Amino acid sequence: MKGVSIKQLDAIIILDEYGNRIAVKYYTNVLENKDDKNKNKNQCEHNFMNSNQLYSKEHMNNFYDESYNNLKTVDEQKQFEHDIVDKIKKTSSLLNEIEILVSNQYIILCLPINDIYIYVVGDETSNELVLYEVMKAIQDSLNNITNNNIGKKQLIDKLDSIYLLLDEIIDNGVIMETNPSIIVNRLYMNENDIQDLTSLNQAISSAKDNIIRSLLSGT
């Protein structure tokens, strides 16, 4: 049975200015269509053939295989993050301006904001406008929940909310919502549900304690 991929994104990565992780989401558990994989490899070989240099088939295969093993392990993900941080340092990117990077078969949009960097990662077939739309949704939503003060401290303080927010935007690599107002409203609804559940659990725990004390005291 052929794997079918409807994945639109490979990762959303938020790092601090030194490349340390703040929040990361990788969408690497989606099966790739075998025909698509062969197509990508053929395209890679075609690009080599159009160059002015002569490459062996082994060289072409090695080039294509330098893909961080589809970012399936933490070590590969961190190596990928290290590499894109190095790439962005070599550019003249300005704060609050989106930069486009290419690393192996990945297209990466990078947005520096104060002391953090947001990366939206797609594969070589991704539409840059779609990646841009996701980036703007993330930026606008983060601005909303941090009162327009996006920074490392603010994001760490709201880390649970950040992950809920990303889950509202992307589900298993598929774009679900890019309207910041809808995203933030859903985020607050989820947080209220969590708070209600926490309050209920606390009430149940308190009731149990009271019953146990009553039984022990014989009243």
Side-chain angles (χ1 to χ4, degrees):
M1 180 178 177
K2 292 182 179 179
V4 177
S5 174
I6 57 173
K7 183 175 62 175
Q8 296 170 286
L9 242 65
D10 285 86
I12 297 174
I13 304 167
I14 304 177
L15 308 177
D16 68 13
E17 57 189 328
Y18 304 108
N20 299 313
R21 287 182 165 191
I22 297 175
V24 297
K25 295 283 289 187
Y26 283 86
Y27 310 104
T28 56
N29 58 343
V30 182
L31 293 175
E32 183 182 28
N33 188 305
K34 185 176 180 181
D35 292 338
D36 290 341
K37 184 175 182 179
N38 290 334
K39 180 180 178 182
N40 290 339
K41 186 170 183 179
N42 290 337
Q43 181 62 44
C44 179
E45 293 178 357
H46 176 72
N47 291 340
F48 271 109
M49 294 301 185
N50 286 340
S51 69
N52 293 325
Q53 300 181 30
L54 181 63
Y55 292 89
S56 67
K57 185 173 182 180
E58 180 182 2
H59 193 158
M60 288 187 287
N61 286 335
N62 287 340
F63 178 87
Y64 185 78
D65 288 340
E66 290 175 1
S67 57
Y68 309 97
N69 193 30
N70 293 322
L71 304 173
K72 290 182 178 179
T73 70
V74 173
D75 287 342
E76 288 150 359
Q77 293 168 6
K78 287 188 174 181
Q79 182 61 52
F80 176 72
E81 292 160 18
H82 177 270
D83 291 348
I84 60 177
V85 167
D86 279 351
K87 280 180 178 288
I88 200 65
K89 285 180 179 178
K90 295 175 183 178
T91 68
S92 56
S93 58
L94 301 175
L95 286 178
N96 300 313
E97 288 193 5
I98 296 175
E99 186 83 20
I100 299 177
L101 307 173
V102 177
S103 180
N104 288 357
Q105 81 268 34
Y106 297 103
I107 297 174
I108 306 148
L109 266 59
C110 172
L111 176 62
I113 306 176
N114 297 325
D115 57 351
I116 70 155
Y117 288 77
I118 304 172
Y119 300 90
V120 174
V121 183
D123 65 22
E124 60 190 346
T125 65
S126 297
N127 186 319
E128 292 174 10
L129 292 178
V130 172
L131 300 182
Y132 177 84
E133 187 176 3
V134 172
M135 178 68 83
K136 291 301 294 180
I138 296 170
Q139 181 185 14
D140 292 344
S141 299
L142 291 179
N143 271 326
N144 191 302
I145 67 173
T146 62
N147 295 318
N148 295 312
N149 189 26
I150 298 175
K152 179 178 179 178
K153 182 181 184 304
Q154 290 76 14
L155 297 193
I156 290 176
D157 288 344
K158 293 181 174 290
L159 197 56
D160 289 344
S161 297
I162 303 306
Y163 277 105
L164 288 173
L165 183 152
L166 296 180
D167 287 341
E168 290 295 338
I169 299 173
I170 304 292
D171 182 17
N172 286 327
V174 179
I175 300 169
M176 305 301 293
E177 184 58 67
T178 57
N179 185 317
S181 298
I182 295 175
I183 293 166
V184 173
N185 285 337
R186 288 177 179 171
L187 170 65
Y188 289 145
M189 288 174 61
N190 287 333
E191 288 182 338
N192 288 335
D193 289 342
I194 292 172
Q195 290 174 357
D196 290 343
L197 182 59
T198 301
S199 298
L200 177 61
N201 288 335
Q202 289 173 344
I204 293 173
S205 178
S206 178
K208 286 181 178 178
D209 290 341
N210 290 335
I211 292 172
I212 291 172
R213 281 196 295 268
S214 296
L215 292 173
L216 291 176
S217 64
T219 59

